């Protein structure tokens, strides 16, 4: 049976400090004598189900390595028994942790340390705490900064991982930049905050090594209250996936990550995409957990079901911490995963993408979910691919291949073979002074840029400047590959309607195809591929050969004839675009 905890009063004595270092010379050597400094506790702390009324600290600081004495003076309510005492500290060493009076040796590292005492009679408990400044003042407000060592005591694994990140060396990076300045300190040190946020330590008030680099408390907040009672209180530290945690530093003229991201499609209205059935790709926190753990858990299962409750980690858009792990450097750029990508089973195959470098992170969400086979046979109210088929298109997979004889040779992967695939084209960067108007560009709008094409296609002003090799849509002219693909989409759309697909009254092609009373099996096969190329969104750029093949062969499957006046792309040796 659990014991009922009654309350009583604990007085924790604050230090009245006497300077305790004396020196004398002998004939042959010098000796350092460290005296014990008496600490007389005068504060009264009222403990009522573990609450602290106030702590008074008389002294600002003790020297490194000094030994001071703490005494807990208790006032008991009626019924309390004989007390035993246990002492704790966030650093330094106790000569003994038992008794109402103990001696504590301060550590050699400057900083603020928390000393606490638990007094109990076996049934009741009272807790008192206070701060000791070692070679620095005692903070005047709470919470205040402690430095990463205080966190490492409990979170050693995360701390060891963090030590390998760029954040752990941010101060050195600044000092070696050739232009360190105080206005840089807020993003390269702990707690460098402007007035009126004073009295909470940090590098602006204690310019010591303890508070350099980007540490735990830069993101999780000052941790003194988290450790105030000797037992960590998880509600007193910040756990947030909010983009502003990163954007307070990762933005500005020289590195506008947040500004770029804010213009991207990833900055979506999360309230419209927070369903557990979609959260593995559409909600930032659930997606972060999936990318770090179970990559197959799209629909509210596995790691997504165990995501933090929204009261701890509210729904967020796809943001920095969705893709980047703040604590881990196992992958380039601290990405959460670069694992191989399992594509959906379609046409009797279940392809796995092994190429693509860091772009495989993007593919974990940007690929088809359901495949064509069931939809083509039975129809569906949500007919067609699950929109983001970019990885499938680059691989040359997951469209409906029943439109051709099994001996037909489909195109090989195209831009999947580019180093780091998605990243190379969609995250092209420009340093400050080199972008348009001299501005920096981080690539985090995720919009592809033509300057990424220069190495393979030469200098172009528009993606449609990449010319097709032949007239694939039969309009009488050889155009850019995007125009050829768009022309084929129109040709196939007209063929679907001319063969009887009814889209009158504002009915979309997808809805018309999904209705088996309105569409035929053949229309659904060709129409699925029309939607697939549309949903890819690149107008052929991701895999020109596969896009042209799909549309041309779908037209021939639907009508029984090749695309009129067009050059048909029917062999593996034929290419849609010339190499640069």
């Amino acid at each position: 049976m659990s014991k009922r905890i009654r309350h009583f009063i604990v007085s924790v004595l604050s230090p009245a400090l006497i300077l305790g270092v004396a020196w004398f010379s002998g004939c042959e050597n010098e000796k350092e004598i460290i005296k014990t400094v008496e600490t007389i506790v005068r504060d009264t702390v009222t403990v009522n189900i573990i609450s602290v009324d106030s702590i008074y600290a008389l002294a600002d600081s003790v020297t490194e390595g000094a030994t001071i004495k703490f005494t807990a003076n208790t006032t008991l309510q009626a019924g309390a028994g004989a007390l035993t005492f246990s002492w704790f500290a966030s650093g330094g060493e106790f000569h003994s942790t038992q008794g109402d009076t103990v001696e504590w040796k301060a550590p050699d590292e400057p900083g603020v340390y928390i000393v606490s005492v638990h007094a109990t009679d076996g049934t009741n408990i009272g807790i008192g705490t206070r701060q000791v400044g070692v070679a620095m003042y005692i903070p005047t407000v709470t919470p205040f900064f402690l430095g990463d060592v205080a966190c490492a005591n409990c979170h050693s694994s995360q701390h060891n991982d963090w030590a390998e990140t760029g954040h752990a060396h941010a101060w050195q990076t600044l000092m070696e930049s050739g232009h360190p300045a105080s206005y840089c300190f807020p993003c390269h040190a702990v707690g460098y905050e402007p007035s009126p946020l004073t009295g909470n330590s940090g590098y602006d008030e204690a310019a010591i090594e303890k508070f350099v680099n980007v540490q735990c408390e830069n993101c999780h907040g000052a941790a003194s209250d988290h450790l105030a009672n000797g037992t960590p209180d998880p509600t007193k530290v910040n756990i947030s996936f909010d983009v502003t945690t990163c954007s307070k530093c990762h933005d500005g003229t020289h590195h506008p990550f947040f500004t770029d991201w804010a213009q991207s499609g990833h900055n979506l209205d999360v309230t419209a995409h927070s369903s557990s059935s979609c959260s593995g790709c559409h909600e930032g926190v659930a997606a972060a957990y999936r990318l770090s753990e179970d990559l197959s858990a799209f629909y509210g299962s596995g790691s997504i079901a165990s995501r933090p409750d929204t009261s701890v980690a509210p729904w967020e858009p796809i943001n920095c911490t969705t893709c980047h792990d703040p604590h881990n450097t196992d992958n380039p750029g601290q990405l959460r995963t670069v694992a191989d990508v399992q594509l959906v089973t379609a046409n009797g195959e279940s392809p796995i993408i092994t190429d693509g470098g860091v772009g495989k992170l993007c593919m974990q969400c940007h690929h088809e979910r359901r495949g064509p086979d069931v939809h083509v046979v039975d129809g569906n109210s949500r007919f067609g691919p699950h929109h983001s088929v970019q990885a499938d298109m680059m691989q040359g997979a997951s469209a409906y291949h029943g439109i051709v004889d099994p001996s037909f040779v489909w195109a090989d992967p195209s831009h999947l073979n580019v180093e780091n695939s998605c990243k190379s084209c969609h995250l092209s960067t420009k340093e400050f002074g080199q972008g348009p108007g001299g501005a920096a560009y981080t690539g985090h709008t995720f919009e592809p840029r033509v300057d990424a094409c220069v190495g393979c296609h030469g200098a172009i002003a528009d993606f449609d400047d990449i010319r097709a090799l032949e007239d694939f849509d039969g309009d009488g002219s050889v155009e850019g590959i995007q125009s050829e693909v768009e022309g084929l989409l129109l040709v196939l759309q007209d063929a679907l309607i001319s063969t009887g697909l009814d889209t009158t009254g504002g009915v979309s092609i997808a809805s018309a195809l999904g209705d088996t009373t309105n569409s035929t099996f053949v229309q659904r096969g060709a129409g699925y591929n029309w939607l697939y190329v549309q949903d890819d969104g690149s107008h052929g750029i991701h895999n020109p050969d596969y896009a042209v093949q799909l549309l041309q062969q779908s037209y021939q499957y639907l009508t029984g004839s090749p695309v009129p006046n067009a050059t048909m792309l029917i062999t593996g040796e034929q290419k849609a675009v010339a190499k640069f």
Side-chain angles (χ1 to χ4, degrees):
M1 180 181 294
S2 62
K3 297 178 180 178
R4 180 180 178 86
I5 298 180
R6 296 191 295 273
H7 69 271
F8 56 94
I9 298 175
V10 179
S11 291
V12 180
L13 306 184
S14 347
L17 299 175
I18 304 172
L19 294 178
V21 179
W23 296 84
F24 71 94
S25 298
C27 296
E28 298 180 1
N29 56 25
E30 274 194 333
K31 231 174 166 185
E32 179 181 4
I33 304 296
I34 300 180
K35 296 180 180 178
T36 296
V37 182
E38 291 289 339
T39 302
I40 304 171
V41 181
R42 296 190 178 89
D43 274 2
T44 297
V45 179
T46 302
V47 179
N48 184 8
I49 316 300
I50 313 179
S51 65
V52 177
D53 184 49
S54 66
I55 297 291
Y56 174 70
L58 178 64
D60 287 337
S61 178
V62 297
T63 58
E64 301 98 317
T67 298
I68 61 176
K69 187 178 293 185
F70 294 99
T71 300
N73 183 26
T74 60
T75 301
L76 308 182
Q77 290 188 351
L83 298 183
T84 60
F85 299 84
S86 297
W87 293 80
F88 308 88
S90 58
E93 298 177 353
F94 289 104
H95 292 184
S96 172
T97 60
Q98 304 299 313
D100 64 346
T101 299
V102 294
E103 290 184 344
W104 177 76
K105 182 180 180 181
D108 294 331
E109 183 180 3
V112 179
Y113 297 86
I114 297 175
V115 175
S116 62
V117 61
H118 292 189
T120 180
D121 64 356
T123 301
N124 314 285
I125 188 170
I127 298 175
T129 64
R130 63 145 298 159
Q131 303 95 38
V132 180
V134 176
M136 61 178 290
Y137 75 101
I138 296 176
T140 57
V141 299
T142 61
F144 55 85
F145 294 96
L146 301 175
D148 66 283
V149 175
C151 306
N153 292 330
C154 293
H155 303 283
S156 58
S157 176
Q158 292 92 332
H159 186 269
N160 290 341
D161 288 341
W162 162 83
E164 300 299 320
T165 69
H167 282 161
H169 311 286
W171 188 259
Q172 179 182 356
T173 300
L174 176 61
M175 293 301 108
E176 294 177 352
S177 68
H179 51 266
S182 60
Y183 57 76
C184 305
F185 292 175
C187 289
H188 290 263
V190 179
Y192 196 93
E193 299 171 332
S195 180
L197 295 175
T198 57
N200 61 351
S201 72
Y203 194 81
D204 56 345
E205 296 167 324
I208 57 177
E209 186 175 359
K210 187 184 189 80
F211 295 131
V212 300
N213 297 316
V214 178
Q215 302 182 18
C216 318
E217 291 169 296
N218 290 76
C219 302
H220 294 287
S224 64
D225 285 356
H226 177 55
L227 300 176
N229 291 323
T231 301
D233 182 350
T235 68
K236 301 297 185 181
V237 70
N238 180 37
I239 301 173
S240 175
F241 288 75
D242 192 297
V243 69
T244 58
T245 302
C246 303
S247 68
K248 62 186 178 184
C249 284
H250 292 279
D251 201 22
T253 305
H254 290 267
H255 38 68
F257 288 95
F258 172 75
T259 297
D260 288 347
W261 169 86
Q263 301 173 53
S264 76
H266 284 163
N267 182 19
L268 47 81
D269 177 8
V270 72
T271 60
H273 297 82
S274 58
S275 166
S276 62
S277 65
C278 307
S279 58
C281 282
H282 287 275
E283 192 273 310
V285 181
Y289 275 75
R290 182 177 76 85
L291 292 171
S292 293
E293 298 174 11
D294 182 3
L295 294 169
S296 68
F298 296 109
Y299 301 116
S301 61
S303 61
I304 295 176
S306 63
R307 75 182 292 283
D309 183 83
T310 53
S311 64
V312 176
W315 297 108
E316 299 288 351
I318 305 301
N319 62 27
C320 318
T321 52
T322 302
C323 300
H324 299 275
D325 187 335
H327 300 129
N328 196 282
T329 60
D330 287 349
N331 300 314
Q334 294 180 230
L335 296 178
R336 290 194 178 273
T337 185
V338 290
D340 293 344
V341 183
Q342 175 67 65
L343 297 183
V344 70
T345 297
N347 308 300
E349 299 178 341
S350 300
I352 297 176
I353 295 179
T354 58
D355 295 324
V358 300
K360 288 189 288 185
L361 171 78
C362 312
M363 299 180 207
Q364 300 296 347
C365 284
H366 290 271
H367 69 78
E368 165 65 309
R369 295 287 178 271
R370 48 196 178 219
D373 302 325
V374 173
H375 278 209
V376 171
V377 174
D378 299 329
N380 192 280
S381 60
R382 296 183 177 181
F383 185 86
H386 190 305
H387 302 298
S388 299
V389 297
Q390 289 81 16
D392 308 82
M393 176 65 84
M394 290 197 294
Q395 175 69 18
S398 309
Y400 182 61
H401 290 179
I403 59 174
V404 295
D405 186 271
S407 63
F408 185 85
V409 179
W410 290 102
D412 292 327
S414 177
H415 281 103
L416 185 63
N417 297 323
V418 173
E419 183 180 9
N420 291 320
S421 55
C422 315
K423 175 187 180 298
S424 295
C425 299
H426 288 266
L427 279 153
S428 177
T429 62
K430 290 292 185 183
E431 297 292 334
F432 179 72
Q434 299 177 10
Y441 176 76
T442 71
H444 280 70
T445 63
F446 305 103
E447 292 294 329
R449 295 173 66 91
V450 293
D451 53 15
C453 305
V454 173
C456 295
H457 299 286
I460 58 174
D462 186 272
F463 293 110
D464 206 34
D465 289 343
I466 300 173
R467 305 293 291 175
L469 283 175
E470 304 287 349
D471 177 13
F472 296 120
D473 62 358
D475 67 353
S477 62
V478 177
E479 303 157 300
I481 187 59
Q482 288 188 312
S483 291
E484 293 289 344
V485 169
E486 288 166 3
L488 280 169
L489 283 166
L490 288 173
V491 167
L492 181 55
Q493 177 180 314
D494 290 344
L496 286 166
I497 294 171
S498 67
T499 58
L501 187 70
D502 186 2
T503 59
T504 58
V507 176
S508 69
I509 288 180
S511 295
L513 288 167
D515 180 0
T516 56
T517 65
N518 185 25
S519 63
T520 66
F521 178 89
V522 172
Q523 286 174 328
R524 292 194 294 276
Y528 190 95
N529 291 340
W530 184 87
L531 290 167
Y532 178 101
V533 177
Q534 285 275 38
D535 288 346
D536 167 63
S538 75
H539 306 284
I541 294 295
H542 287 148
N543 193 337
D545 303 342
Y546 189 57
V548 169
Q549 283 184 325
L550 280 175
L551 295 173
Q552 288 186 334
Q553 296 305 315
S554 294
Y555 178 91
Q556 185 161 330
Y557 174 70
L558 180 63
T559 66
S561 302
V563 177
N565 305 314
T567 298
M568 298 291 286
L569 199 62
I570 58 175
T571 70
E573 290 74 26
Q574 289 177 289
K575 299 297 179 186
V577 174
K579 290 185 177 180
F580 174 63

